[in-house]
Amino acid sequence: FLLLAGAGDGSPAAVALTLPYEGVLHPFMDDLLPYVEQCGSQEQACTAACNVASVADVVLLVLEHPLGLILVAGNLSHGGDGAVQASYWNSERLQGSQPGDRGAGIVVDSHTFSAYVLANRSDEPGLIFKVNISTLRPYGLLHLQQRGQHTEIVHSMEVDPANRRLYVLSELAAQPLLITLLLYSVLAIHPAVADVKGGTDIFLEGQGLADMGPASCVFHGRVLSPASWVSPTALHCRSPPVNVTSSSCEGEAVELSLTPGLATQNAVSLRRTATPAVTALWPARGYHSSTQWVTVHGYGFLNASTLTCGLQGPALNASQQAHAIAAEFVSTQQIRCLRPPLPEAYPSPTYLEVSIDGHVFSESAITYEVVGPAVGLSASPVRIDLAAAWTTPIGPLGIHALDQYGHRTLEYSAGPLPVTAT
């Protein structure tokens, strides 16, 4: 179809032309207007259909109204006689529009199922609304410029779906301006905190993303980190090291660049935190197959959803270090870690460390013993030399049960152990 919008006899009008054009016009506004409640009264009637656009079989109309702009959505289809018919879907007053606003354009982005509606105002800069087509409600707004007595007026907009850009041709002080807007955005990042050491795995959730070659996360407005695709709506990158923590709880923006020289400006922030430190544990040992709460004392702890404890050590394999330990924040100097049951004892030395972001851990080297079942004994002292006499006193002798890594099992021993003299 070729769609045209305007006014006839003081009322909105819209027609469709089938291509190739055969000289027949198919009016369809009468199929929609009776259902638009905002245009129902004679005193508050809609006066013109100033813009029209379509995506798939959905048609979008911008109607001028004494109270502002009205958005109307419907479906276009061919009737049995070849005529074009429209069925009403939804209508909404454009939130943020004002009396006297003039609809100056509408374009659609099929990738995000959104529309960009341009509204010009008398003696004020124009506005570009980003609208969710499903709800007809805006979720983005761009204010154009005011320079002295001159206001920026937009003449046209064009979507470049391949490069995910919106080109806006405007005029300010009789000078033409071409504005490039990105059709993709960052909605959220996980985690929202990262250690200053760098190396935190950052996941960006976005909208309107497209693989256009090498992508980058932009930290602090200038530091680029290569990004890889996780899904059509998410990318992964790693945080770079920095010298200082964030100056505020909000942190600094992390943006996304899909093409060199252009990056989002969504200001989704990442807070950089100092590496925490552990000074003491209680208890400092536990039986491997039991769940145990461990109180951790130290400093630099932060009440974050990614607060994590972990067991680390030079002799631990990857699977042993992969067990995430849930952490409960108590204060900036104390947390509690719920160690889960483990399949086996851990070799010494094993350290319990803390991470604020779930990736970068402290390096405090405070030992924690993961004790296993007893497999042997130790004696202290190992040798006692005695002289024969009528009465030969034997001094203190300690016998301890040991697990496979030499940890004393103590209260975790499971009962009497046989001792064989050799």
Side-chain angles (χ1 to χ4, degrees):
F1 303 116
L2 174 63
L3 304 177
L4 302 175
D9 297 327
S11 298
V15 297
L17 287 71
T18 56
L19 299 176
Y21 179 56
E22 298 177 350
V24 179
L25 300 178
H26 301 278
F28 61 87
M29 181 60 75
D30 290 343
D31 298 335
L32 304 175
L33 199 57
Y35 301 98
V36 182
E37 296 180 358
Q38 297 85 348
C39 302
S41 66
Q42 185 173 1
E43 295 79 11
Q44 300 293 327
C46 295
T47 57
C50 45
N51 307 114
V52 63
S54 65
V55 53
D57 63 342
V58 177
V59 61
L60 298 170
L61 291 157
V62 182
L63 308 184
E64 291 186 350
H65 185 275
L67 297 180
L69 299 178
I70 307 297
L71 301 180
V72 181
N75 294 99
L76 285 181
S77 62
H78 278 288
D81 57 355
V84 176
Q85 297 176 337
S87 56
Y88 175 81
W89 177 19
N90 192 16
S91 62
E92 289 281 347
R93 178 179 176 271
L94 181 58
Q95 297 176 12
S97 67
Q98 299 178 0
D101 282 355
R102 293 172 290 107
I106 181 173
V107 293
V108 296
D109 177 22
S110 59
H111 192 86
T112 58
F113 204 59
S114 58
Y116 294 84
V117 179
L118 171 61
N120 282 332
R121 294 177 175 174
S122 299
D123 302 324
E124 291 186 33
L127 302 172
I128 299 177
F129 296 86
K130 185 178 182 180
V131 177
N132 184 323
I133 294 177
S134 299
T135 62
L136 297 184
R137 294 180 179 176
Y139 63 104
L141 177 62
L142 174 66
H143 290 265
L144 301 180
Q145 299 181 67
Q146 177 86 35
R147 184 177 298 168
Q149 299 298 317
H150 302 285
T151 59
E152 186 175 4
I153 302 298
V154 175
H155 293 284
S156 64
M157 299 184 296
E158 187 72 28
V159 168
D160 180 0
N163 292 307
R164 308 299 301 132
R165 299 176 188 178
L166 173 66
Y167 297 108
V168 179
L169 179 61
S170 67
E171 176 188 340
L172 179 62
Q175 297 295 321
L177 297 174
L178 181 62
I179 305 171
T180 301
L181 304 177
L182 300 181
L183 294 177
Y184 57 89
S185 57
V186 177
L187 303 179
I189 60 173
H190 305 282
V193 295
D195 197 286
V196 294
K197 289 182 179 178
T200 303
D201 290 320
I202 304 294
F203 295 88
L204 285 78
E205 295 182 10
Q207 182 193 50
L209 307 180
D211 190 350
M212 296 182 288
S216 300
C217 299
V218 184
F219 294 86
H220 311 286
R222 61 188 182 279
V223 182
L224 301 182
S225 176
S228 59
W229 289 91
V230 178
S231 72
T233 59
L235 293 99
H236 161 263
C237 59
R238 288 190 172 178
S239 62
V242 294
N243 295 324
V244 295
T245 60
S246 296
S247 58
S248 66
C249 293
E250 289 76 17
E252 293 79 33
V254 177
E255 305 294 352
L256 177 63
S257 175
L258 297 182
T259 54
L262 293 175
T264 58
Q265 296 181 10
N266 302 120
V268 180
S269 61
L270 176 70
R271 182 179 177 182
R272 304 307 294 266
T273 63
T275 308
V278 177
T279 57
L281 305 173
W282 180 259
R285 63 197 314 269
Y287 196 64
H288 74 99
S289 62
S290 301
T291 300
Q292 183 184 53
W293 279 104
V294 180
T295 300
V296 181
H297 297 274
Y299 54 88
F301 302 143
L302 184 68
N303 189 10
S305 60
T306 49
L307 182 65
T308 308
C309 300
L311 297 175
Q312 300 184 355
L316 271 61
N317 59 42
S319 63
Q320 290 173 324
Q321 298 190 66
H323 291 283
I325 300 178
E328 179 183 89
F329 179 81
V330 179
S331 70
T332 57
Q333 296 179 332
Q334 180 179 323
I335 63 173
R336 299 175 70 221
C337 302
L338 182 59
R339 181 185 63 76
L342 300 172
E344 58 186 348
Y346 278 21
S348 294
T350 294
Y351 311 121
L352 192 148
E353 304 291 0
V354 176
S355 173
I356 303 297
D357 59 19
H359 296 272
V360 180
F361 284 83
S362 58
E363 297 179 359
S364 303
I366 303 299
T367 58
Y368 174 85
E369 291 184 351
V370 180
V371 181
V375 296
L377 297 173
S378 69
S380 179
V382 176
R383 174 177 173 171
I384 301 177
D385 295 320
L386 301 172
W390 286 106
T391 302
T392 305
I394 299 177
L397 176 64
I399 303 294
H400 295 281
L402 305 179
D403 68 8
Q404 68 186 94
Y405 293 114
H407 303 132
R408 292 181 178 180
T409 58
L410 299 178
E411 71 272 25
Y412 303 124
S413 296
L417 297 171
V419 177
T420 302
T422 58

PDB file of all heavy atoms in Angstrom, residues 64-69 97-103 120-122:
ATOM      1  N   GLU A  64      -4.500  15.268  14.972  1.00  0.00           N
ATOM      2  CA  GLU A  64      -4.435  16.520  15.729  1.00  0.00           C
ATOM      3  C   GLU A  64      -5.749  16.719  16.468  1.00  0.00           C
ATOM      4  O   GLU A  64      -6.829  16.453  15.943  1.00  0.00           O
ATOM      5  CB  GLU A  64      -4.152  17.687  14.794  1.00  0.00           C
ATOM      6  CG  GLU A  64      -2.741  17.644  14.226  1.00  0.00           C
ATOM      7  CD  GLU A  64      -2.392  18.871  13.405  1.00  0.00           C
ATOM      8  OE1 GLU A  64      -3.309  19.671  13.128  1.00  0.00           O
ATOM      9  OE2 GLU A  64      -1.213  19.036  13.046  1.00  0.00           O
ATOM     10  N   HIS A  65      -5.614  17.195  17.722  1.00  0.00           N
ATOM     11  CA  HIS A  65      -6.747  17.306  18.634  1.00  0.00           C
ATOM     12  C   HIS A  65      -6.552  18.576  19.451  1.00  0.00           C
ATOM     13  O   HIS A  65      -5.410  18.990  19.693  1.00  0.00           O
ATOM     14  CB  HIS A  65      -6.790  16.068  19.535  1.00  0.00           C
ATOM     15  CG  HIS A  65      -7.968  15.995  20.445  1.00  0.00           C
ATOM     16  ND1 HIS A  65      -8.012  16.600  21.674  1.00  0.00           N
ATOM     17  CD2 HIS A  65      -9.158  15.362  20.290  1.00  0.00           C
ATOM     18  CE1 HIS A  65      -9.174  16.355  22.259  1.00  0.00           C
ATOM     19  NE2 HIS A  65      -9.891  15.597  21.435  1.00  0.00           N
ATOM     20  N   PRO A  66      -7.612  19.229  19.888  1.00  0.00           N
ATOM     21  CA  PRO A  66      -7.428  20.458  20.670  1.00  0.00           C
ATOM     22  C   PRO A  66      -6.575  20.290  21.925  1.00  0.00           C
ATOM     23  O   PRO A  66      -5.972  21.250  22.402  1.00  0.00           O
ATOM     24  CB  PRO A  66      -8.869  20.858  21.032  1.00  0.00           C
ATOM     25  CG  PRO A  66      -9.707  20.295  19.935  1.00  0.00           C
ATOM     26  CD  PRO A  66      -9.039  19.013  19.558  1.00  0.00           C
ATOM     27  N   LEU A  67      -6.503  19.074  22.488  1.00  0.00           N
ATOM     28  CA  LEU A  67      -5.728  18.849  23.705  1.00  0.00           C
ATOM     29  C   LEU A  67      -4.337  18.301  23.444  1.00  0.00           C
ATOM     30  O   LEU A  67      -3.570  18.084  24.375  1.00  0.00           O
ATOM     31  CB  LEU A  67      -6.484  17.885  24.629  1.00  0.00           C
ATOM     32  CG  LEU A  67      -7.832  18.387  25.153  1.00  0.00           C
ATOM     33  CD1 LEU A  67      -8.475  17.340  26.045  1.00  0.00           C
ATOM     34  CD2 LEU A  67      -7.678  19.713  25.885  1.00  0.00           C
ATOM     35  N   GLY A  68      -4.017  18.041  22.172  1.00  0.00           N
ATOM     36  CA  GLY A  68      -2.716  17.476  21.856  1.00  0.00           C
ATOM     37  C   GLY A  68      -2.818  16.524  20.689  1.00  0.00           C
ATOM     38  O   GLY A  68      -3.697  16.662  19.832  1.00  0.00           O
ATOM     39  N   LEU A  69      -1.916  15.568  20.654  1.00  0.00           N
ATOM     40  CA  LEU A  69      -1.893  14.599  19.565  1.00  0.00           C
ATOM     41  C   LEU A  69      -2.485  13.267  20.030  1.00  0.00           C
ATOM     42  O   LEU A  69      -2.296  12.846  21.169  1.00  0.00           O
ATOM     43  CB  LEU A  69      -0.462  14.380  19.076  1.00  0.00           C
ATOM     44  CG  LEU A  69       0.258  15.609  18.514  1.00  0.00           C
ATOM     45  CD1 LEU A  69       1.692  15.259  18.118  1.00  0.00           C
ATOM     46  CD2 LEU A  69      -0.501  16.190  17.325  1.00  0.00           C
ATOM     47  N   SER A  97       2.292  15.390  24.993  1.00  0.00           N
ATOM     48  CA  SER A  97       1.903  16.386  23.988  1.00  0.00           C
ATOM     49  C   SER A  97       0.999  17.439  24.624  1.00  0.00           C
ATOM     50  O   SER A  97       0.374  17.199  25.658  1.00  0.00           O
ATOM     51  CB  SER A  97       1.196  15.718  22.809  1.00  0.00           C
ATOM     52  OG  SER A  97      -0.055  15.177  23.212  1.00  0.00           O
ATOM     53  N   GLN A  98       0.938  18.618  23.988  1.00  0.00           N
ATOM     54  CA  GLN A  98       0.209  19.752  24.537  1.00  0.00           C
ATOM     55  C   GLN A  98      -0.742  20.329  23.488  1.00  0.00           C
ATOM     56  O   GLN A  98      -0.599  20.059  22.289  1.00  0.00           O
ATOM     57  CB  GLN A  98       1.188  20.845  24.981  1.00  0.00           C
ATOM     58  CG  GLN A  98       2.162  20.427  26.057  1.00  0.00           C
ATOM     59  CD  GLN A  98       3.135  21.541  26.423  1.00  0.00           C
ATOM     60  OE1 GLN A  98       3.085  22.644  25.868  1.00  0.00           O
ATOM     61  NE2 GLN A  98       4.024  21.251  27.364  1.00  0.00           N
ATOM     62  N   PRO A  99      -1.728  21.105  23.934  1.00  0.00           N
ATOM     63  CA  PRO A  99      -2.594  21.801  22.958  1.00  0.00           C
ATOM     64  C   PRO A  99      -1.754  22.649  22.005  1.00  0.00           C
ATOM     65  O   PRO A  99      -0.805  23.318  22.423  1.00  0.00           O
ATOM     66  CB  PRO A  99      -3.487  22.671  23.841  1.00  0.00           C
ATOM     67  CG  PRO A  99      -3.529  21.959  25.159  1.00  0.00           C
ATOM     68  CD  PRO A  99      -2.178  21.343  25.318  1.00  0.00           C
ATOM     69  N   GLY A 100      -2.070  22.558  20.748  1.00  0.00           N
ATOM     70  CA  GLY A 100      -1.341  23.311  19.748  1.00  0.00           C
ATOM     71  C   GLY A 100      -0.204  22.543  19.105  1.00  0.00           C
ATOM     72  O   GLY A 100       0.394  23.032  18.137  1.00  0.00           O
ATOM     73  N   ASP A 101       0.135  21.364  19.624  1.00  0.00           N
ATOM     74  CA  ASP A 101       1.188  20.562  19.001  1.00  0.00           C
ATOM     75  C   ASP A 101       0.764  20.142  17.602  1.00  0.00           C
ATOM     76  O   ASP A 101      -0.405  19.787  17.366  1.00  0.00           O
ATOM     77  CB  ASP A 101       1.479  19.306  19.831  1.00  0.00           C
ATOM     78  CG  ASP A 101       2.332  19.608  21.046  1.00  0.00           C
ATOM     79  OD1 ASP A 101       2.773  20.756  21.191  1.00  0.00           O
ATOM     80  OD2 ASP A 101       2.552  18.684  21.862  1.00  0.00           O
ATOM     81  N   ARG A 102       1.719  20.189  16.684  1.00  0.00           N
ATOM     82  CA  ARG A 102       1.463  19.759  15.302  1.00  0.00           C
ATOM     83  C   ARG A 102       2.307  18.530  15.001  1.00  0.00           C
ATOM     84  O   ARG A 102       3.519  18.533  15.183  1.00  0.00           O
ATOM     85  CB  ARG A 102       1.817  20.886  14.324  1.00  0.00           C
ATOM     86  CG  ARG A 102       0.901  22.104  14.427  1.00  0.00           C
ATOM     87  CD  ARG A 102       1.380  23.266  13.590  1.00  0.00           C
ATOM     88  NE  ARG A 102       2.592  23.859  14.145  1.00  0.00           N
ATOM     89  CZ  ARG A 102       3.798  23.728  13.628  1.00  0.00           C
ATOM     90  NH1 ARG A 102       3.983  23.011  12.527  1.00  0.00           N
ATOM     91  NH2 ARG A 102       4.833  24.309  14.182  1.00  0.00           N
ATOM     92  N   GLY A 103       1.638  17.487  14.561  1.00  0.00           N
ATOM     93  CA  GLY A 103       2.364  16.290  14.172  1.00  0.00           C
ATOM     94  C   GLY A 103       3.122  16.538  12.884  1.00  0.00           C
ATOM     95  O   GLY A 103       2.542  16.887  11.856  1.00  0.00           O
ATOM     96  N   ASN A 120       6.015  19.379  16.559  1.00  0.00           N
ATOM     97  CA  ASN A 120       6.543  20.737  16.556  1.00  0.00           C
ATOM     98  C   ASN A 120       5.598  21.653  17.312  1.00  0.00           C
ATOM     99  O   ASN A 120       4.367  21.489  17.271  1.00  0.00           O
ATOM    100  CB  ASN A 120       6.705  21.248  15.120  1.00  0.00           C
ATOM    101  CG  ASN A 120       7.949  20.666  14.459  1.00  0.00           C
ATOM    102  OD1 ASN A 120       8.927  20.340  15.120  1.00  0.00           O
ATOM    103  ND2 ASN A 120       7.895  20.508  13.143  1.00  0.00           N
ATOM    104  N   ARG A 121       6.183  22.630  18.001  1.00  0.00           N
ATOM    105  CA  ARG A 121       5.407  23.574  18.804  1.00  0.00           C
ATOM    106  C   ARG A 121       5.735  24.998  18.390  1.00  0.00           C
ATOM    107  O   ARG A 121       6.841  25.301  17.963  1.00  0.00           O
ATOM    108  CB  ARG A 121       5.717  23.401  20.302  1.00  0.00           C
ATOM    109  CG  ARG A 121       5.260  22.074  20.854  1.00  0.00           C
ATOM    110  CD  ARG A 121       5.626  21.879  22.310  1.00  0.00           C
ATOM    111  NE  ARG A 121       5.050  20.644  22.818  1.00  0.00           N
ATOM    112  CZ  ARG A 121       5.286  20.152  24.025  1.00  0.00           C
ATOM    113  NH1 ARG A 121       6.112  20.802  24.850  1.00  0.00           N
ATOM    114  NH2 ARG A 121       4.716  19.027  24.412  1.00  0.00           N
ATOM    115  N   SER A 122       4.778  25.870  18.581  1.00  0.00           N
ATOM    116  CA  SER A 122       4.986  27.288  18.262  1.00  0.00           C
ATOM    117  C   SER A 122       5.969  27.892  19.253  1.00  0.00           C
ATOM    118  O   SER A 122       5.788  27.778  20.472  1.00  0.00           O
ATOM    119  CB  SER A 122       3.659  28.048  18.324  1.00  0.00           C
ATOM    120  OG  SER A 122       2.749  27.523  17.384  1.00  0.00           O
TER     121      SER A 122
END
